[in-house]
Amino acid sequence: MIITLICGCSVDQTEMQEYVMDPENGLMHATYSEGVSYKILYQPVQMIVARESRSTEVDKSEIERELGTQDYFLLEIKRQDPMEGPKQEFYYAYQFEKDIFQLVGSDTIRPINFHLEQGLGGSQQFRANIAFSQLENDREIFIHDKYGAKTNFIFQQANINKIPKLSY
């Protein structure tokens, strides 16, 4: 993978996924606190475009123009104990996104997209796709989970800039 970065070559989808999942590349962070495990993964726009293009006839360049102004993250939450009923399920399904944000200067930036992918229904884990407006500096994501912990994750712009190009 290092050779890919040096030569500026492109990678296939499997190599891109491996690169993003490698903790040494700074695009995946995890923490455990108060019985809850949080894992957040930066998802390059190219990966989102490749996934979206499989289910549509729209040209990849058009999809990239539409989606390219956002930063995408996959958040996975695993609880030590199952959720304690409808109150917690309601919170995660309808209110949790308000407790995820970025700070830019003194401004609080909320996600422009929050999609609960799987989980709830008494589950001990769930996943959510989150999108923020794209920034040109480090991204610091804060999570203030009402039924878990308050934590934050920093994605450095230097690591984002090193992401290899995906060959479609």
Side-chain angles (χ1 to χ4, degrees):
M1 193 58 71
I2 294 172
I3 294 170
T4 301
L5 296 175
I6 294 171
C7 76
C9 303
S10 58
V11 297
D12 65 26
Q13 290 184 27
T14 301
E15 291 170 320
M16 175 68 87
Q17 188 68 26
E18 289 171 359
Y19 182 86
V20 170
M21 296 292 290
D22 184 344
E24 290 185 20
N25 294 322
L27 302 173
M28 182 181 72
H29 301 287
T31 189
Y32 181 84
S33 180
E34 299 183 35
V36 182
S37 169
Y38 300 90
K39 182 168 105 176
I40 189 165
L41 175 72
Y42 180 86
Q43 296 186 305
V45 171
Q46 297 171 29
M47 285 177 57
I48 304 298
V49 169
R51 185 176 62 210
E52 292 296 317
S53 68
R54 284 185 252 145
S55 62
T56 184
E57 299 290 322
V58 179
D59 184 58
K60 287 181 179 90
S61 61
E62 189 174 325
I63 296 170
E64 192 162 359
R65 268 194 311 277
E66 183 179 323
L67 302 178
T69 60
Q70 300 173 21
D71 284 324
Y72 298 90
F73 301 88
L74 177 64
L75 174 64
E76 294 180 335
I77 297 180
K78 294 181 183 177
R79 305 179 55 76
Q80 186 175 352
D81 299 315
M83 288 192 209
E84 297 174 4
K87 252 187 168 177
Q88 281 188 356
E89 290 182 19
F90 183 85
Y91 168 74
Y92 287 113
Y94 300 105
Q95 298 172 331
F96 181 50
E97 70 182 280
K98 296 174 190 162
D99 294 333
I100 301 170
F101 57 93
Q102 290 181 314
L103 287 180
V104 179
S106 60
D107 295 327
T108 301
I109 310 299
R110 304 284 178 199
I112 56 176
N113 190 358
F114 177 89
H115 176 73
L116 192 60
E117 191 175 283
Q118 68 180 30
L120 302 181
S123 177
Q124 289 177 256
Q125 67 181 29
F126 65 91
R127 295 167 31 143
N129 289 291
I130 303 166
F132 289 95
S133 294
Q134 201 169 58
L135 300 174
E136 295 298 321
N137 49 8
D138 294 350
R139 286 93 163 143
E140 186 169 14
I141 310 270
F142 292 84
I143 299 172
H144 289 184
D145 186 344
K146 180 177 176 179
Y147 295 102
K150 291 184 178 182
T151 189
N152 65 302
F153 304 94
I154 298 174
F155 294 86
Q156 297 178 344
Q157 182 64 39
N159 293 332
I160 293 169
N161 290 342
K162 293 177 187 175
I163 297 172
K165 185 159 180 61
L166 179 64
S167 60
Y168 292 116

